[in-house]
Amino acid sequence: MSRLKTLKRLESNLKHLLTSVARLETDQIETLNSINVLDDIARDSLKGRYVNNRLGSWMAKNRVLVDEGRLKKTAISAVGNLLSDIKNGLDKTDPESKKLFDEIDSWFTKGVVPGRKVVLSRPPEISESDLTEQYFELFKKETEQLTYYKEHGDHILSMLDDILKNAEVKNDPIYLHMAGSIIYYLKNKGYKIDPYVRKLRFLEKDEKK
């Protein structure tokens, strides 16, 4: 084989290699961008915002990644976790939301499942008696705050809205605890609480960052 033919063959092989690398990097960038979009949808869902249209469009556009097995292990876990968060906030009594709920389940059956979350535990740093005192002190402050709302004639839903707003702007766990207590009470009374639950979950995650 002549030197010229050898150079041409090497040039052709290099061209194919560079093309393959460029295609791989492009696919990875597109996948990362898609996950970022899904992350934005999940965040808005946790804030109680309506995300059905955006979620439906995202799943239709990215279904090919699942069907062709083009998602890497790390991407599978990321997408699975985000879809799981969104799924928990969907109202199954709504036909459109139920359809998305089932579609997420179909992704799970194809292997796009949430990754395992490591939970670290540690021994208590305070005594049980001190912990009890702290709880009663917290309960006392909550009672004072709720009494204030009651004296001003606020409805319990108005109280909850204001408490969630305070939880968002103030670094005080008392508002998260009060919101959780009211949400649980409303749930037992048959109120539709899904938007409040998503908002509380978002605030709890934001506080832990």
Short mmCIF file of all heavy atoms in Angstrom, two decimals, residues 59-114:
data_model
loop_
_atom_site.label_atom_id
_atom_site.label_comp_id
_atom_site.label_asym_id
_atom_site.label_seq_id
_atom_site.Cartn_x
_atom_site.Cartn_y
_atom_site.Cartn_z
N MET A 59 -42.52 14.29 27.98
CA MET A 59 -42.51 12.83 27.91
C MET A 59 -42.67 12.36 26.46
O MET A 59 -42.04 11.38 26.04
CB MET A 59 -43.61 12.25 28.79
CG MET A 59 -43.44 12.57 30.27
SD MET A 59 -44.61 11.71 31.35
CE MET A 59 -43.85 10.08 31.42
N ALA A 60 -43.48 13.06 25.68
CA ALA A 60 -43.66 12.69 24.27
C ALA A 60 -42.36 12.88 23.49
O ALA A 60 -41.99 12.05 22.65
CB ALA A 60 -44.78 13.52 23.65
N LYS A 61 -41.66 13.97 23.79
CA LYS A 61 -40.41 14.29 23.08
C LYS A 61 -39.29 13.35 23.46
O LYS A 61 -38.45 12.99 22.61
CB LYS A 61 -40.00 15.73 23.39
CG LYS A 61 -38.74 16.17 22.69
CD LYS A 61 -38.40 17.62 23.03
CE LYS A 61 -37.10 18.05 22.36
NZ LYS A 61 -36.76 19.45 22.70
N ASN A 62 -39.25 12.91 24.72
CA ASN A 62 -38.11 12.13 25.21
C ASN A 62 -38.40 10.63 25.32
O ASN A 62 -37.54 9.88 25.77
CB ASN A 62 -37.66 12.67 26.57
CG ASN A 62 -37.05 14.05 26.45
OD1 ASN A 62 -35.88 14.21 26.13
ND2 ASN A 62 -37.85 15.07 26.72
N ARG A 63 -39.59 10.21 24.93
CA ARG A 63 -39.94 8.79 25.00
C ARG A 63 -38.96 7.93 24.21
O ARG A 63 -38.66 6.80 24.58
CB ARG A 63 -41.36 8.60 24.47
CG ARG A 63 -41.83 7.14 24.48
CD ARG A 63 -42.26 6.74 25.86
NE ARG A 63 -42.50 5.31 25.96
CZ ARG A 63 -43.35 4.76 26.82
NH1 ARG A 63 -44.05 5.53 27.63
NH2 ARG A 63 -43.49 3.46 26.88
N VAL A 64 -38.44 8.48 23.12
CA VAL A 64 -37.52 7.73 22.27
C VAL A 64 -36.25 7.33 23.02
O VAL A 64 -35.66 6.28 22.74
CB VAL A 64 -37.16 8.55 21.00
CG1 VAL A 64 -36.40 9.81 21.38
CG2 VAL A 64 -36.34 7.72 20.03
N LEU A 65 -35.85 8.16 23.99
CA LEU A 65 -34.66 7.84 24.78
C LEU A 65 -34.87 6.56 25.58
O LEU A 65 -33.93 5.77 25.77
CB LEU A 65 -34.32 8.99 25.73
CG LEU A 65 -33.99 10.33 25.09
CD1 LEU A 65 -33.75 11.39 26.17
CD2 LEU A 65 -32.77 10.22 24.18
N VAL A 66 -36.10 6.37 26.03
CA VAL A 66 -36.43 5.17 26.81
C VAL A 66 -36.59 3.97 25.89
O VAL A 66 -36.04 2.89 26.13
CB VAL A 66 -37.72 5.39 27.63
CG1 VAL A 66 -38.04 4.16 28.46
CG2 VAL A 66 -37.57 6.61 28.52
N ASP A 67 -37.35 4.16 24.81
CA ASP A 67 -37.64 3.06 23.90
C ASP A 67 -36.37 2.50 23.26
O ASP A 67 -36.28 1.29 22.99
CB ASP A 67 -38.61 3.51 22.81
CG ASP A 67 -39.99 3.83 23.36
OD1 ASP A 67 -40.31 3.33 24.47
OD2 ASP A 67 -40.73 4.59 22.73
N GLU A 68 -35.39 3.37 23.01
CA GLU A 68 -34.15 2.93 22.36
C GLU A 68 -33.03 2.66 23.36
O GLU A 68 -31.91 2.35 22.96
CB GLU A 68 -33.69 3.98 21.35
CG GLU A 68 -34.68 4.18 20.19
CD GLU A 68 -34.20 5.19 19.18
OE1 GLU A 68 -33.08 5.73 19.38
OE2 GLU A 68 -34.93 5.43 18.20
N GLY A 69 -33.33 2.79 24.66
CA GLY A 69 -32.34 2.50 25.69
C GLY A 69 -31.13 3.41 25.63
O GLY A 69 -30.00 2.97 25.87
N ARG A 70 -31.34 4.68 25.35
CA ARG A 70 -30.22 5.61 25.17
C ARG A 70 -29.87 6.37 26.45
O ARG A 70 -28.97 7.21 26.44
CB ARG A 70 -30.56 6.60 24.05
CG ARG A 70 -30.51 5.97 22.66
CD ARG A 70 -31.30 6.75 21.63
NE ARG A 70 -30.98 8.16 21.63
CZ ARG A 70 -31.65 9.07 20.91
NH1 ARG A 70 -32.69 8.69 20.18
NH2 ARG A 70 -31.30 10.34 20.94
N LEU A 71 -30.56 6.09 27.54
CA LEU A 71 -30.26 6.76 28.80
C LEU A 71 -29.21 5.99 29.58
O LEU A 71 -29.33 4.78 29.76
CB LEU A 71 -31.52 6.91 29.65
CG LEU A 71 -32.55 7.95 29.20
CD1 LEU A 71 -33.77 7.90 30.10
CD2 LEU A 71 -31.97 9.35 29.18
N LYS A 72 -28.18 6.69 30.05
CA LYS A 72 -27.17 6.04 30.88
C LYS A 72 -27.70 5.86 32.30
O LYS A 72 -28.73 6.43 32.68
CB LYS A 72 -25.89 6.88 30.89
CG LYS A 72 -25.18 6.91 29.54
CD LYS A 72 -23.82 7.58 29.66
CE LYS A 72 -23.05 7.51 28.35
NZ LYS A 72 -21.72 8.13 28.45
N LYS A 73 -26.98 5.08 33.08
CA LYS A 73 -27.44 4.73 34.42
C LYS A 73 -27.68 5.96 35.29
O LYS A 73 -28.69 6.06 35.99
CB LYS A 73 -26.42 3.81 35.10
CG LYS A 73 -26.90 3.25 36.44
CD LYS A 73 -25.90 2.25 36.99
CE LYS A 73 -26.39 1.67 38.32
NZ LYS A 73 -25.44 0.68 38.87
N THR A 74 -26.75 6.92 35.25
CA THR A 74 -26.91 8.13 36.07
C THR A 74 -28.11 8.96 35.61
O THR A 74 -28.85 9.52 36.43
CB THR A 74 -25.65 9.00 36.01
OG1 THR A 74 -25.30 9.25 34.63
CG2 THR A 74 -24.48 8.31 36.69
N ALA A 75 -28.31 9.00 34.29
CA ALA A 75 -29.44 9.75 33.75
C ALA A 75 -30.76 9.06 34.11
O ALA A 75 -31.76 9.72 34.42
CB ALA A 75 -29.32 9.89 32.24
N ILE A 76 -30.76 7.73 34.08
CA ILE A 76 -31.96 6.97 34.45
C ILE A 76 -32.38 7.29 35.88
O ILE A 76 -33.56 7.52 36.16
CB ILE A 76 -31.71 5.46 34.27
CG1 ILE A 76 -31.65 5.10 32.79
CG2 ILE A 76 -32.79 4.64 34.98
CD1 ILE A 76 -31.29 3.65 32.53
N SER A 77 -31.41 7.30 36.79
CA SER A 77 -31.73 7.60 38.20
C SER A 77 -32.25 9.02 38.36
O SER A 77 -33.22 9.26 39.09
CB SER A 77 -30.47 7.41 39.06
OG SER A 77 -30.07 6.07 39.08
N ALA A 78 -31.62 9.98 37.66
CA ALA A 78 -32.04 11.38 37.76
C ALA A 78 -33.47 11.56 37.25
O ALA A 78 -34.31 12.19 37.91
CB ALA A 78 -31.07 12.28 36.99
N VAL A 79 -33.73 11.01 36.06
CA VAL A 79 -35.07 11.12 35.48
C VAL A 79 -36.09 10.39 36.35
O VAL A 79 -37.19 10.89 36.60
CB VAL A 79 -35.09 10.56 34.05
CG1 VAL A 79 -36.52 10.48 33.51
CG2 VAL A 79 -34.24 11.42 33.13
N GLY A 80 -35.72 9.21 36.84
CA GLY A 80 -36.63 8.44 37.69
C GLY A 80 -36.99 9.19 38.96
O GLY A 80 -38.17 9.21 39.37
N ASN A 81 -36.01 9.83 39.59
CA ASN A 81 -36.28 10.59 40.82
C ASN A 81 -37.20 11.78 40.55
O ASN A 81 -38.11 12.06 41.33
CB ASN A 81 -34.96 11.08 41.43
CG ASN A 81 -34.17 9.98 42.10
OD1 ASN A 81 -34.74 9.01 42.59
ND2 ASN A 81 -32.86 10.11 42.14
N LEU A 82 -36.95 12.48 39.45
CA LEU A 82 -37.77 13.65 39.13
C LEU A 82 -39.20 13.25 38.78
O LEU A 82 -40.16 13.88 39.24
CB LEU A 82 -37.14 14.42 37.96
CG LEU A 82 -35.80 15.10 38.26
CD1 LEU A 82 -35.17 15.64 36.99
CD2 LEU A 82 -35.99 16.23 39.28
N LEU A 83 -39.34 12.19 38.00
CA LEU A 83 -40.69 11.72 37.67
C LEU A 83 -41.43 11.23 38.90
O LEU A 83 -42.65 11.41 39.02
CB LEU A 83 -40.60 10.58 36.64
CG LEU A 83 -40.21 10.98 35.21
CD1 LEU A 83 -40.11 9.76 34.32
CD2 LEU A 83 -41.20 11.99 34.62
N SER A 84 -40.70 10.62 39.83
CA SER A 84 -41.32 10.16 41.07
C SER A 84 -41.85 11.34 41.89
O SER A 84 -42.96 11.29 42.44
CB SER A 84 -40.31 9.36 41.90
OG SER A 84 -40.88 8.92 43.12
N ASP A 85 -41.05 12.43 41.96
CA ASP A 85 -41.49 13.63 42.68
C ASP A 85 -42.74 14.22 42.05
O ASP A 85 -43.69 14.62 42.74
CB ASP A 85 -40.38 14.68 42.69
CG ASP A 85 -39.22 14.30 43.61
OD1 ASP A 85 -39.44 13.46 44.51
OD2 ASP A 85 -38.12 14.84 43.43
N ILE A 86 -42.75 14.27 40.70
CA ILE A 86 -43.90 14.83 40.00
C ILE A 86 -45.12 13.94 40.17
O ILE A 86 -46.24 14.42 40.40
CB ILE A 86 -43.58 15.01 38.50
CG1 ILE A 86 -42.44 16.02 38.31
CG2 ILE A 86 -44.82 15.48 37.74
CD1 ILE A 86 -41.94 16.11 36.88
N LYS A 87 -44.91 12.64 40.08
CA LYS A 87 -46.01 11.68 40.20
C LYS A 87 -46.72 11.82 41.55
O LYS A 87 -47.96 11.75 41.62
CB LYS A 87 -45.47 10.26 40.04
CG LYS A 87 -46.51 9.16 40.23
CD LYS A 87 -45.86 7.78 40.17
CE LYS A 87 -46.88 6.70 40.49
NZ LYS A 87 -46.28 5.35 40.51
N ASN A 88 -45.95 12.04 42.61
CA ASN A 88 -46.54 12.17 43.95
C ASN A 88 -47.48 13.37 44.05
O ASN A 88 -48.35 13.40 44.92
CB ASN A 88 -45.44 12.29 45.00
CG ASN A 88 -44.69 10.99 45.19
OD1 ASN A 88 -45.21 9.92 44.94
ND2 ASN A 88 -43.43 11.09 45.63
N GLY A 89 -47.29 14.36 43.18
CA GLY A 89 -48.13 15.55 43.23
C GLY A 89 -49.30 15.54 42.27
O GLY A 89 -50.10 16.47 42.27
N LEU A 90 -49.41 14.49 41.44
CA LEU A 90 -50.50 14.44 40.47
C LEU A 90 -51.80 14.01 41.13
O LEU A 90 -51.82 13.12 41.99
CB LEU A 90 -50.15 13.46 39.35
CG LEU A 90 -49.01 13.88 38.41
CD1 LEU A 90 -48.71 12.76 37.41
CD2 LEU A 90 -49.37 15.16 37.66
N ASP A 91 -52.88 14.66 40.73
CA ASP A 91 -54.21 14.34 41.25
C ASP A 91 -54.84 13.25 40.38
O ASP A 91 -55.26 13.50 39.26
CB ASP A 91 -55.07 15.60 41.23
CG ASP A 91 -56.47 15.36 41.77
OD1 ASP A 91 -56.71 14.25 42.29
OD2 ASP A 91 -57.31 16.27 41.66
N LYS A 92 -54.91 12.02 40.91
CA LYS A 92 -55.41 10.89 40.11
C LYS A 92 -56.91 10.98 39.84
O LYS A 92 -57.42 10.22 39.02
CB LYS A 92 -55.08 9.57 40.82
CG LYS A 92 -53.60 9.22 40.81
CD LYS A 92 -53.35 7.78 41.25
CE LYS A 92 -53.69 7.59 42.71
NZ LYS A 92 -53.37 6.21 43.16
N THR A 93 -57.61 11.89 40.53
CA THR A 93 -59.04 12.04 40.26
C THR A 93 -59.28 12.87 39.00
O THR A 93 -60.38 12.88 38.47
CB THR A 93 -59.74 12.72 41.45
OG1 THR A 93 -59.19 14.04 41.64
CG2 THR A 93 -59.54 11.91 42.72
N ASP A 94 -58.24 13.54 38.53
CA ASP A 94 -58.33 14.32 37.29
C ASP A 94 -57.91 13.43 36.12
O ASP A 94 -56.81 12.87 36.13
CB ASP A 94 -57.42 15.54 37.38
CG ASP A 94 -57.33 16.28 36.05
OD1 ASP A 94 -58.37 16.74 35.57
OD2 ASP A 94 -56.21 16.38 35.50
N PRO A 95 -58.75 13.27 35.09
CA PRO A 95 -58.45 12.35 33.98
C PRO A 95 -57.11 12.63 33.31
O PRO A 95 -56.36 11.70 32.99
CB PRO A 95 -59.62 12.56 33.02
CG PRO A 95 -60.73 13.04 33.89
CD PRO A 95 -60.08 13.88 34.95
N GLU A 96 -56.80 13.89 33.07
CA GLU A 96 -55.56 14.24 32.40
C GLU A 96 -54.35 13.89 33.27
O GLU A 96 -53.36 13.33 32.79
CB GLU A 96 -55.53 15.74 32.06
CG GLU A 96 -54.29 16.16 31.27
CD GLU A 96 -54.30 17.64 30.95
OE1 GLU A 96 -55.32 18.29 31.16
OE2 GLU A 96 -53.26 18.14 30.48
N SER A 97 -54.45 14.21 34.56
CA SER A 97 -53.37 13.89 35.48
C SER A 97 -53.22 12.37 35.63
O SER A 97 -52.10 11.87 35.74
CB SER A 97 -53.64 14.52 36.85
OG SER A 97 -53.67 15.93 36.77
N LYS A 98 -54.35 11.65 35.64
CA LYS A 98 -54.30 10.19 35.75
C LYS A 98 -53.58 9.58 34.54
O LYS A 98 -52.82 8.61 34.68
CB LYS A 98 -55.72 9.64 35.83
CG LYS A 98 -55.79 8.11 35.95
CD LYS A 98 -55.11 7.59 37.21
CE LYS A 98 -55.43 6.14 37.50
NZ LYS A 98 -55.04 5.23 36.41
N LYS A 99 -53.78 10.16 33.36
CA LYS A 99 -53.11 9.68 32.16
C LYS A 99 -51.60 9.85 32.28
O LYS A 99 -50.82 8.95 31.92
CB LYS A 99 -53.64 10.44 30.94
CG LYS A 99 -53.09 9.94 29.62
CD LYS A 99 -53.70 10.70 28.46
CE LYS A 99 -53.14 10.21 27.13
NZ LYS A 99 -53.72 10.94 25.98
N LEU A 100 -51.18 11.00 32.80
CA LEU A 100 -49.75 11.24 33.01
C LEU A 100 -49.20 10.33 34.10
O LEU A 100 -48.07 9.84 34.01
CB LEU A 100 -49.52 12.71 33.39
CG LEU A 100 -49.78 13.72 32.27
CD1 LEU A 100 -49.76 15.14 32.83
CD2 LEU A 100 -48.74 13.58 31.16
N PHE A 101 -49.99 10.11 35.14
CA PHE A 101 -49.63 9.20 36.23
C PHE A 101 -49.31 7.81 35.66
O PHE A 101 -48.30 7.19 35.99
CB PHE A 101 -50.78 9.13 37.23
CG PHE A 101 -50.47 8.40 38.50
CD1 PHE A 101 -50.07 9.09 39.64
CD2 PHE A 101 -50.59 7.02 38.58
CE1 PHE A 101 -49.80 8.42 40.83
CE2 PHE A 101 -50.32 6.33 39.74
CZ PHE A 101 -49.92 7.04 40.88
N ASP A 102 -50.20 7.32 34.79
CA ASP A 102 -50.02 6.00 34.19
C ASP A 102 -48.82 5.98 33.24
O ASP A 102 -48.11 4.97 33.13
CB ASP A 102 -51.28 5.59 33.44
CG ASP A 102 -52.46 5.34 34.37
OD1 ASP A 102 -52.22 5.11 35.58
OD2 ASP A 102 -53.61 5.41 33.91
N GLU A 103 -48.60 7.10 32.54
CA GLU A 103 -47.47 7.17 31.62
C GLU A 103 -46.14 7.10 32.38
O GLU A 103 -45.20 6.43 31.94
CB GLU A 103 -47.54 8.48 30.81
CG GLU A 103 -46.37 8.71 29.87
CD GLU A 103 -46.32 7.74 28.70
OE1 GLU A 103 -47.29 6.96 28.51
OE2 GLU A 103 -45.30 7.73 27.99
N ILE A 104 -46.09 7.76 33.53
CA ILE A 104 -44.89 7.69 34.37
C ILE A 104 -44.66 6.24 34.82
O ILE A 104 -43.53 5.76 34.81
CB ILE A 104 -45.02 8.62 35.59
CG1 ILE A 104 -44.97 10.08 35.13
CG2 ILE A 104 -43.89 8.36 36.60
CD1 ILE A 104 -45.20 11.09 36.24
N ASP A 105 -45.73 5.57 35.18
CA ASP A 105 -45.61 4.15 35.57
C ASP A 105 -45.06 3.31 34.43
O ASP A 105 -44.29 2.36 34.65
CB ASP A 105 -46.96 3.61 36.02
CG ASP A 105 -47.27 3.95 37.48
OD1 ASP A 105 -46.33 4.32 38.21
OD2 ASP A 105 -48.44 3.85 37.88
N SER A 106 -45.47 3.64 33.21
CA SER A 106 -44.97 2.87 32.05
C SER A 106 -43.47 3.10 31.86
O SER A 106 -42.76 2.18 31.42
CB SER A 106 -45.74 3.26 30.79
OG SER A 106 -45.34 4.52 30.28
N TRP A 107 -43.00 4.30 32.19
CA TRP A 107 -41.56 4.55 32.13
C TRP A 107 -40.84 3.73 33.20
O TRP A 107 -39.75 3.20 32.96
CB TRP A 107 -41.28 6.05 32.33
CG TRP A 107 -41.51 6.88 31.11
CD1 TRP A 107 -42.60 6.86 30.31
CD2 TRP A 107 -40.63 7.86 30.57
NE1 TRP A 107 -42.48 7.78 29.30
CE2 TRP A 107 -41.27 8.42 29.43
CE3 TRP A 107 -39.39 8.35 30.93
CZ2 TRP A 107 -40.70 9.41 28.66
CZ3 TRP A 107 -38.80 9.36 30.16
CH2 TRP A 107 -39.44 9.88 29.04
N PHE A 108 -41.47 3.64 34.37
CA PHE A 108 -40.87 2.85 35.46
C PHE A 108 -40.74 1.38 35.05
O PHE A 108 -39.74 0.73 35.35
CB PHE A 108 -41.71 2.96 36.72
CG PHE A 108 -41.64 4.31 37.40
CD1 PHE A 108 -42.51 4.65 38.42
CD2 PHE A 108 -40.69 5.26 37.01
CE1 PHE A 108 -42.45 5.88 39.05
CE2 PHE A 108 -40.63 6.51 37.62
CZ PHE A 108 -41.51 6.81 38.65
N THR A 109 -41.76 0.86 34.36
CA THR A 109 -41.71 -0.55 33.95
C THR A 109 -40.63 -0.79 32.91
O THR A 109 -40.17 -1.94 32.74
CB THR A 109 -43.07 -1.01 33.38
OG1 THR A 109 -43.39 -0.22 32.22
CG2 THR A 109 -44.17 -0.87 34.41
N LYS A 110 -40.22 0.26 32.21
CA LYS A 110 -39.15 0.14 31.22
C LYS A 110 -37.77 0.36 31.83
O LYS A 110 -36.77 0.43 31.10
CB LYS A 110 -39.39 1.12 30.06
CG LYS A 110 -40.55 0.73 29.15
CD LYS A 110 -40.70 1.72 28.01
CE LYS A 110 -41.79 1.26 27.05
NZ LYS A 110 -41.39 0.08 26.28
N GLY A 111 -37.73 0.50 33.14
CA GLY A 111 -36.43 0.61 33.82
C GLY A 111 -36.03 1.98 34.28
O GLY A 111 -35.00 2.15 34.93
N VAL A 112 -36.82 3.00 33.94
CA VAL A 112 -36.50 4.37 34.39
C VAL A 112 -37.10 4.55 35.78
O VAL A 112 -38.16 5.13 35.97
CB VAL A 112 -37.06 5.42 33.41
CG1 VAL A 112 -36.63 6.82 33.85
CG2 VAL A 112 -36.58 5.15 32.01
N VAL A 113 -36.40 4.01 36.77
CA VAL A 113 -36.91 4.01 38.14
C VAL A 113 -36.07 4.94 39.01
O VAL A 113 -34.90 5.20 38.70
CB VAL A 113 -36.89 2.58 38.73
CG1 VAL A 113 -37.86 1.70 37.97
CG2 VAL A 113 -35.49 1.98 38.66
N PRO A 114 -36.64 5.46 40.09
CA PRO A 114 -35.89 6.33 40.99
C PRO A 114 -34.67 5.61 41.57
O PRO A 114 -34.73 4.42 41.89
CB PRO A 114 -36.91 6.68 42.09
CG PRO A 114 -38.24 6.44 41.46
CD PRO A 114 -38.05 5.30 40.51
#
